[in-house]
Amino acid sequence: MSPHLIAGPHAFSAGDSVYWGKTADGVVHVPGVRYGERLDAADRFSPLGDPSPGSAQVGPTVFPQSPGSLDWLMGPALSRLPQDEDSFLLDIWAPEGAQDLPVLVFLPGGAFISGAGNVGWYDGARLATEGNAVVVTLSYRLGALALLGGSGGPLNLGAQDILQALRWVSVNIPAFGGDPAAVTLAGHSAGAWYAYILSLAPAAKGLFSRTALFSLPWQPPLSPAAYEERRELFNGFLNDALANGGCGGGGLADAPIPAILEAQAAVGRAYAGRGLGLVPAADGGLVPEWAMDFRRAASALHVESLLLTSTDNEAVAFLHAVPVPAVGPEQVADFVAAHFEEAREVLDFLDSRLPEATPHAKLVEAMSLHQFGLAATELAGRANAAGVESTLLRFSVPSKLEGAGSPHCFDLPFLFGNRAHWQDAPMLRGFPEDSFDEVSDQLRPLLLGFVADGRPRSLSGEPLGRFTAERPQVHTVTAGGIVPGSVEPELRPRR
């Protein structure tokens, strides 16, 4: 894009509030919009109500979090933003003079314990310009403060926050030129998980009509017993952190943030190798216990279409710390036996797909398929059978970072087309500028076409073929273009 030409402030009136933005290259950016505030300001676990006009727009902050486990790929941009427990904020990008445009709402990921919608990574200016759309990014509560509060079971405050933000968008986005009847909800990783969950939730019906899921993880919500196990473990670590910090007793409701983050990290270490330490739990409301039973869930979807994307080597991001020589054939066999119904079939598939690869690379492939690739394929098939149009994508562009392949998160810079905001991301180190532009030019139209009318489109404007039982295809995004192909055989992951 050309160098930014900054125009003067731009005012929007929505309800009783006035919001200010600045124009650059024909797009108005309205930052720091408060979408909700606690009904009880003194209660960390309070549900949200509509924001008061006096606090409608504030400076950028993020919810409390420790450095992310994927900083080795993405860089430290999140750590530069101040933290605040009231970061119920969204950012809006809209073309100047926008009126009745489709709306893209994007939910960031971060393993349920980190992330923010207002970090520069998710600058939506280019998508707003090229898609002639209004782009919204938002933040939601994280970690123990989102997942472990309350004494009567899980509150799932992150999901509740997003629901409040969607309601705010539905009511107020016309003031910024958006059409509340043409909203696409998109998310990456944990954000994709929440976008998927809300696509099942009756409370969210009518707030968006399409869902784009980037690297949706297969992550069943915790059972009541598993939730209590996590909660007790966390409370034990929290008590230790409080004692070591000289804070005495107390609990999550009034503990200082450093002690909470220390306890979260301890839970994560306790579950290392067994999954994430803190994840949402079934609550009988927004988060059903059958959420990852795609056969049942597909019939509950209240959207008209799905876009499902995964990267080639998702699990590199999570196995980076495991030395290549530390993984032998026995570790691969053990993982496959624990996670697939027919171990021999999967091991043969890995050998045929990666005949010269190390056991470490085969473990990455098996984990990537189990947690992401096969989950996307199964959901696409179940959704199609339930009458929800689906398109399946695979991002197959390798990073220049040694051993990274095409890892979890690597598609994001290309999706937003804003390399300058990723200047210190190691995963882009050495990636040629012209090659970045060529890949980004392939990926952006796919999302923008979906936002416009539910049909991902190539750079030339051709719609991609949908996933059907007769033609279960995956479209692979490569450095040279988009290549249609067949999905992997049915490898029957254990669910």
Side-chain angles (χ1 to χ4, degrees):
M1 295 179 69
S2 61
H4 282 193
L5 303 176
I6 305 296
H10 201 121
F12 298 87
S13 178
D16 296 327
S17 300
V18 176
Y19 302 88
W20 295 91
K22 282 194 173 181
T23 303
D25 296 333
V27 175
V28 185
H29 176 210
V30 186
V33 174
R34 192 177 293 284
Y35 62 78
E37 60 186 13
R38 303 170 199 273
L39 294 175
D40 181 353
D43 180 6
R44 276 179 162 166
F45 312 120
S46 172
L48 303 183
D50 291 334
S52 59
S55 63
Q57 192 173 12
V58 297
T61 61
V62 302
F63 284 105
Q65 55 194 278
S66 299
S69 62
L70 299 187
D71 283 6
W72 73 276
L73 283 172
M74 302 177 73
L78 270 171
S79 64
R80 301 192 186 107
L81 292 171
Q83 299 187 7
D84 189 283
E85 287 190 56
D86 289 301
S87 298
F88 304 105
L89 305 177
L90 54 82
D91 279 32
I92 302 170
W93 289 264
E96 280 191 292
Q99 187 173 359
D100 295 328
L101 297 184
V103 179
L104 169 64
V105 177
F106 180 82
L107 309 179
F112 304 106
I113 59 173
S114 67
N118 52 5
V119 67
W121 298 331
Y122 309 124
D123 184 297
R126 191 166 189 179
L127 292 177
T129 299
E130 296 179 358
N132 197 29
V134 176
V135 177
V136 178
T137 63
L138 63 93
S139 300
Y140 49 85
R141 275 178 275 195
L142 301 168
L145 293 174
L147 302 171
L148 298 180
S151 57
L155 296 177
N156 286 315
L157 294 175
Q160 290 191 39
D161 294 347
I162 297 165
L163 184 60
Q164 167 64 20
L166 290 169
R167 288 169 174 156
W168 187 96
V169 167
S170 185
V171 171
N172 295 286
I173 207 65
F176 302 88
D179 180 358
V183 175
T184 296
L185 182 61
H188 175 263
S189 195
W193 195 92
Y194 278 128
Y196 166 69
I197 288 296
L198 290 171
S199 300
L200 308 174
K205 186 175 182 179
L207 297 176
F208 55 99
S209 55
R210 305 181 187 107
T211 308
L213 305 173
F214 293 87
S215 296
L216 171 70
W218 187 79
Q219 176 62 65
L222 298 178
S223 67
Y227 169 77
E228 286 302 327
E229 178 183 282
R230 298 295 209 286
R231 194 162 179 265
E232 289 179 12
L233 186 64
F234 173 84
N235 286 337
F237 287 130
L238 180 61
N239 288 336
D240 292 343
L242 292 171
N244 293 337
C247 299
L252 183 57
D254 52 12
I257 291 299
I260 294 172
L261 297 180
E262 182 180 335
Q264 285 183 188
V267 174
R269 289 191 295 271
Y271 279 88
R274 295 185 289 158
L276 299 177
L278 295 179
V279 296
D283 60 13
L286 284 181
V287 182
E289 52 87 18
W290 43 263
M292 288 289 148
D293 177 353
F294 293 140
R295 183 190 300 272
R296 179 173 177 180
S299 63
L301 288 166
H302 57 73
V303 294
E304 62 189 34
S305 50
L306 291 177
L307 175 63
L308 296 139
T309 300
S310 61
T311 70
D312 257 357
N313 312 110
E314 297 271 8
V316 166
F318 317 113
L319 293 174
H320 169 70
V322 180
V324 172
V327 180
E330 62 276 10
Q331 281 79 26
V332 179
D334 288 347
F335 179 87
V336 169
H339 292 85
F340 292 87
E341 298 288 348
E342 295 292 338
R344 185 71 263 161
E345 179 183 14
V346 176
L347 292 171
D348 289 345
F349 173 80
L350 295 175
D351 288 341
S352 65
R353 174 170 274 195
L354 304 170
E356 305 298 326
T358 64
H360 190 283
K362 291 180 180 179
L363 181 60
V364 166
E365 178 73 5
M367 185 178 292
S368 299
L369 284 169
H370 182 270
Q371 291 298 109
F372 297 96
L374 296 177
T377 300
E378 183 183 354
L379 178 55
R382 300 298 186 192
N384 171 258
V388 178
E389 296 175 345
S390 302
T391 307
L392 191 61
L393 302 179
R394 186 75 51 82
F395 188 78
S396 186
V397 177
S399 168
K400 302 299 182 183
L401 192 63
E402 185 177 0
S406 184
H408 194 63
C409 299
F410 192 52
D411 51 344
L412 290 172
F414 302 93
L415 184 68
F416 282 85
N418 56 356
R419 181 167 184 164
H421 290 285
W422 298 82
Q423 58 185 340
D424 54 3
M427 64 185 181
L428 277 178
R429 195 175 296 148
F431 205 94
E433 192 73 37
D434 56 348
S435 298
F436 178 91
D437 292 338
E438 290 171 3
V439 174
S440 184
D441 288 346
Q442 297 288 343
L443 190 57
R444 294 192 314 278
L446 299 177
L447 174 59
L448 293 175
F450 185 74
V451 170
D453 63 9
R455 295 300 303 272
R457 296 178 184 277
S458 67
L459 182 59
S460 64
E462 290 297 314
L464 300 192
R466 295 189 174 107
F467 186 104
T468 65
E470 297 75 26
R471 196 175 184 188
Q473 59 183 332
V474 57
H475 302 274
T476 301
V477 179
T478 72
I482 301 170
V483 181
S486 301
V487 299
E488 290 84 6
E490 187 178 352
L491 297 174
R492 288 172 283 181
R494 292 187 190 276
R495 298 305 196 195

